[in-house]
Amino acid sequence: MASTESTGSTETAPRPRHLSPFRWVFPIVVVTLLASLLGVMYLDYVVDPEKNLHDFPIALVNQDVGDDIGGKHVNFGDQISDGLQQAVPSDQIDLRVLGINEAQLQMQSARVYGTIIIPSDFSKRLGILGVGSVVPGDITKPIITLQTNPRAGAFATAVVQKFGERALTQVNAQVGQQLTDQVKAQLTPAPGAPPTELTAATRLVLAQPLNIVVDQFWPLPGGSGEGLTAFFYSLLLLLVGMVGAMIIHQLIDSALGFLPTEWGPWYVHYPRASISRVKTLLIKWSAVVVMALAVSGALMGIAAALGMPIDRPLLLFIFGTLVIVAVGVTCTSMLAAVGTAGLIINLIIFIILGLPSSGGTIPIEATPKYFGWLAKFEPMHQVFLGTRSILYFYGNGRAGLTRGVWMAVLGLIIGVVGGLFITRVYDRKGLERKPVETPGTGGGKHAKPAGA
């Protein structure tokens, strides 16, 4: 306890500091601005994905070899392919005409979200359908397959299905009209002969001659949350790195005496340690690395216990550790550089801007275009690509793992170099971390410390 001291002179005790109106209003303004930015980012992200659709990649595979019908060679597959390329809005859909092998490779790496396949016997079966409509015998409708890519995400699959429903329904009607006209021409009677009419059943078949089959290219295993486990696992890694770094920063600063320690009614402020900013940052980084190893293993254990399939456990553990370390080091460096304001900056970078631009729930191609610009460098998008590649694409580098790893390494380098540079500058300039001394306190002749 602080003792009292009797002196021969009368001294005026320092007046208590009151909270000025500016200091009272300032946090409210900051929170309001952050909430407004959060509202703009999150609501603009989700309000109208169909309106924001742009460059959405879908493959078109035309394997039709054509057939000889009525004495001439025709290829209905080419006609449908050309019609789709002209009809599809190029500002919304990136329709890629590919061979079947290339289309499958791009599906396996999530570079396209769906594939329309016209089979090799398409013209032949369509011709048989036209003839079979007036000649007895068994016939089957020609097939066009719409393959979805569920591993690219549930919303991407929904967009592909909606696009296929619109485009292929229109194709079905156009082909039906063309086939009906062709059959009517073939049934034109000779002069003087009675006209041949198509039955109602025949007209119905010819009006919708195609069998549109929707199929999953590579179904997800059970326990994948319809393609959402990659997003939420990525979110966990990011949150652990950011929140963990903030907790480590707070607790280590409290242990070193730079901040008070308060647990419920218990309050203590340890004496300030004589330690440089650089050494303090290195201690925090060491704690971040140990935390990353422990938490990455814990998250994998929890995921496995809950039945989430993990085909590359070692790879996921290493990538998760790298992500947590990169995010944690960057966050602690930001806090070391700008102090309390680093909390706000970290929140903006990793949460407010990061989640909407991740592409984890709604593809980047279905969000406003500025989200695509953010996705080029925002950490959450890189983490999601790497995690999705490991969980759904067996660690395929082209599916995002290569990008995720290199961007995490780049972020780690920026955090390390930036943190060491700024703390070293502060140390050289003698900018110590100590309270501001005010008149009547902090070293005056009769000043006494408050004991606890």
Side-chain angles (χ1 to χ4, degrees):
M1 295 293 293
S3 61
T4 59
E5 182 179 73
S6 176
T7 65
S9 61
T10 302
E11 296 205 10
T12 302
R15 297 178 64 184
R17 296 180 62 190
H18 297 284
L19 193 63
S20 67
F22 173 77
R23 292 177 181 271
W24 183 81
V25 172
F26 180 71
I28 298 176
V29 173
V30 171
V31 172
T32 302
L33 292 175
L34 284 177
S36 299
L37 178 60
L38 191 66
V40 169
M41 296 296 297
Y42 279 60
L43 294 179
D44 198 16
Y45 164 69
V46 76
V47 162
D48 196 350
E50 187 173 350
K51 177 183 176 182
N52 296 322
L53 202 64
H54 60 91
D55 303 317
F56 192 87
I58 295 178
L60 173 60
V61 177
N62 178 23
Q63 297 179 298
D64 189 16
V65 298
D67 194 32
D68 294 326
I69 300 176
K72 63 178 182 179
H73 187 79
V74 296
N75 191 309
F76 291 110
D78 287 345
Q79 296 178 23
I80 291 176
S81 178
D82 294 340
L84 280 173
Q85 293 178 67
Q86 294 175 6
V88 168
S90 58
D91 60 329
Q92 295 183 350
I93 303 295
D94 177 16
L95 193 63
R96 305 176 183 179
V97 181
L98 305 172
I100 186 64
N101 292 333
E102 180 61 24
Q104 290 179 348
L105 287 174
Q106 294 199 20
M107 291 278 275
Q108 291 170 4
S109 57
R111 285 181 290 160
V112 295
Y113 298 144
T115 302
I116 298 172
I117 301 176
I118 303 173
S120 58
D121 61 349
F122 182 77
S123 292
K124 182 177 180 179
R125 288 188 177 275
L126 198 58
I128 293 174
L129 181 65
V131 174
S133 62
V134 292
V135 176
D138 295 331
I139 56 173
T140 57
K141 290 184 175 183
I143 294 174
I144 291 182
T145 302
L146 176 65
Q147 282 188 339
T148 61
N149 195 357
R151 293 172 186 254
F155 193 88
T157 298
V159 172
V160 171
Q161 291 176 334
K162 194 169 186 178
F163 163 78
E165 180 181 354
R166 290 179 179 177
L168 296 181
T169 297
Q170 184 177 356
V171 166
N172 203 358
Q174 291 175 349
V175 172
Q177 183 61 49
Q178 183 179 354
L179 188 62
T180 301
D181 294 341
Q182 179 182 335
V183 171
K184 286 181 177 179
Q186 291 176 349
L187 294 178
T188 301
T196 304
E197 293 291 337
L198 295 175
T199 65
T202 300
R203 290 178 181 274
L204 186 62
V205 171
L206 293 179
Q208 302 288 328
L210 307 182
N211 183 15
I212 309 299
V213 176
V214 179
D215 185 31
Q216 291 185 350
F217 170 72
W218 194 1
L220 280 165
S224 298
E226 299 298 326
L228 288 176
T229 51
F231 168 72
F232 282 101
Y233 199 92
S234 304
L235 180 60
L236 285 172
L237 295 177
L238 193 82
L239 286 176
V240 166
M242 185 188 73
V243 177
M246 293 180 179
I247 294 173
I248 287 173
H249 169 81
Q250 182 84 9
L251 295 181
I252 289 181
D253 274 358
S254 296
L256 294 176
F258 297 115
L259 293 173
T261 301
E262 188 173 6
W263 299 96
W266 183 67
Y267 176 94
V268 64
H269 197 160
Y270 296 109
R272 185 170 59 89
S274 178
I275 186 173
S276 68
R277 291 175 181 262
V278 170
K279 289 182 179 179
T280 302
L281 186 59
L282 291 176
I283 292 173
K284 294 174 182 178
W285 284 352
S286 300
V288 166
V289 171
V290 175
M291 173 201 71
L293 291 167
V295 173
S296 183
L299 290 178
M300 285 189 55
I302 293 170
L306 294 175
M308 191 178 93
I310 304 175
D311 297 310
R312 299 289 188 270
L314 179 59
L315 187 58
L316 183 61
F317 172 76
I318 294 173
F319 181 73
T321 303
L322 173 62
V323 167
I324 296 173
V325 170
V327 174
V329 165
T330 303
C331 287
T332 50
S333 295
M334 183 64 68
L335 291 166
V338 299
T340 305
L343 299 173
I344 300 174
I345 296 174
N346 288 335
L347 179 64
I348 292 174
I349 293 175
F350 293 102
I351 300 298
I352 295 180
L353 300 181
L355 264 66
S357 61
S358 68
T361 53
I362 298 177
I364 297 297
E365 296 84 0
T367 61
K369 290 187 178 181
Y370 67 88
F371 283 102
W373 176 76
L374 288 172
K376 292 180 180 179
F377 59 86
E378 268 295 325
M380 182 64 188
H381 182 62
Q382 327 309 326
V383 176
F384 168 70
L385 291 180
T387 305
R388 185 184 66 177
S389 174
I390 295 171
L391 291 179
Y392 302 158
F393 296 95
Y394 295 97
N396 186 341
R398 301 184 73 181
L401 181 60
T402 300
R403 178 182 176 87
V405 169
W406 282 113
M407 290 297 284
V409 171
L410 177 61
L412 178 59
I413 292 173
I414 292 174
V416 170
V417 173
L420 290 177
F421 174 78
I422 196 68
T423 52
R424 191 174 295 274
V425 169
Y426 290 166
D427 284 338
R428 286 181 177 177
K429 290 188 175 183
L431 300 173
E432 298 182 48
R433 303 176 68 192
K434 59 183 181 180
V436 176
E437 295 181 356
T438 58
T441 63
K445 180 178 179 181
H446 301 289
K448 295 290 184 289

